[in-house]
Amino acid sequence: SQQGEEDPQALSIQEGENATMNCSYKTSINNLQWYRQNSGRGLVHLILIRSNEREKHSGRLRVTLDTSKKSSSLLITASRAADTASYFCAKGIQGAQKLVFGQGTRLTINP
Amino acid sequence: GAGVSQSPSNKVTEKGKDVELRCDPISGHTALYWYRQSLGQGLEFLIYFQGNSAPDKSGLPSDRFSAERTGGSVSTLTIQRTQQEDSAVYLCASSLGGTGFYEQYFGPGTRLTVT
């Protein structure tokens, strides 16, 4: 499937620790967008990284992209209980306008 | 400014009835997308609008599903003769442009339950 994989499917860590989530894909992309979702409703946009970029930061978030390995990672530093959510990477496929989502990583931050 | 809004937030309907879901995109966003999220299928693309035209309808699961956009703004997704497998959260997103290089911002979704 062109969705690729996200791993881990679930991650549980202690507050204050760093969380790393990974995303792989199979087709060529224009960009890759990371989202957070609480309670199975709206998606909150976190970061967009373009195919010619290797790293982007936003606050405690760091996203990397390795197009040679067709993979991306999202790092959340100094995690907080409020970071508990599902995180999705969405691939902006070349030649198409849609985003293709992975199955997501369910992150739990334990106080 | 205001984000993407969707209505209703929840809809319960009987099998066989028609439903209409509404999306108000962010002002000035020319591209609009519909997705749906269900337990079995994850998040899947339905249709993309650029202005009032829909160059990509490839994700619509059957001819019971249709969508339109008027005035380059509001969009409605219509599901005719609803089936239980249509139960899902329907999400709308908008972006500044449709070249695949812009952030897509999502609304809160409409949870559709078909009984």
Side-chain angles (χ1 to χ4, degrees):
Chain A
S1 133
Q2 67 180 4
Q3 290 185 0
E5 303 286 336
E6 288 182 56
D7 78 274
Q9 291 188 354
L11 178 62
S12 181
I13 61 173
Q14 294 302 120
E15 196 166 19
E17 293 180 339
N18 296 341
T20 299
M21 289 157 271
N22 303 295
C23 167
S24 65
Y25 56 94
K26 298 182 180 181
T27 59
S28 296
I29 61 170
N30 290 321
N31 64 67
L32 192 144
Q33 305 188 34
W34 284 90
Y35 290 87
R36 183 183 74 233
Q37 185 178 43
N38 295 85
S39 306
R41 294 305 290 265
L43 293 156
V44 175
H45 191 275
L46 298 176
I47 291 183
L48 178 152
I49 187 164
R50 293 186 167 79
S51 58
N52 61 351
E53 297 175 315
R54 293 296 167 260
E55 188 171 311
K56 285 190 85 168
H57 297 254
S58 175
R60 294 184 294 114
L61 306 180
R62 172 180 167 243
V63 166
T64 60
L65 179 64
D66 186 335
T67 52
S68 67
K69 295 181 179 177
K70 293 191 173 177
S71 68
S72 175
S73 67
L74 169 67
L75 168 68
I76 304 174
T77 60
S79 63
R80 304 168 182 169
D83 296 328
T84 294
S86 291
Y87 291 81
F88 293 88
C89 78
K91 282 76 73 173
I93 305 296
Q94 268 188 16
Q97 305 304 325
K98 63 185 178 184
L99 292 176
V100 175
F101 285 81
Q103 292 300 311
T105 294
R106 184 186 301 275
L107 175 66
T108 302
I109 308 300
N110 302 304
Chain B
V4 178
S5 61
Q6 293 186 245
S7 60
S9 56
N10 287 283
K11 177 72 177 178
V12 180
T13 190
E14 291 180 354
K15 178 181 171 181
K17 301 279 190 184
D18 298 351
V19 295
E20 278 191 359
L21 312 180
R22 177 188 169 105
C23 172
D24 281 90
I26 293 172
S27 178
H29 281 195
T30 62
L32 186 147
Y33 312 78
W34 284 97
Y35 296 82
R36 74 175 176 182
Q37 185 175 28
S38 55
L39 280 175
Q41 299 298 321
L43 248 154
E44 51 181 350
F45 165 82
L46 298 178
I47 187 169
Y48 153 67
F49 285 92
Q50 180 59 47
N52 292 333
S53 63
D56 187 352
K57 306 178 184 180
S58 62
L60 294 178
S62 75
D63 59 8
R64 296 185 297 105
F65 287 72
S66 63
E68 65 173 12
R69 189 180 185 195
T70 55
S73 181
V74 172
S75 176
T76 54
L77 177 69
T78 301
I79 309 173
Q80 295 179 309
R81 305 180 303 281
T82 51
Q83 304 293 314
Q84 287 185 331
E85 62 262 28
D86 300 334
S87 295
V89 176
Y90 288 81
L91 293 160
C92 176
S94 70
S95 66
L96 264 176
T99 64
F101 290 94
Y102 297 98
E103 294 87 348
Q104 290 188 23
Y105 296 99
F106 283 77
T110 294
R111 184 179 298 278
L112 175 66
T113 304
V114 181
T115 61

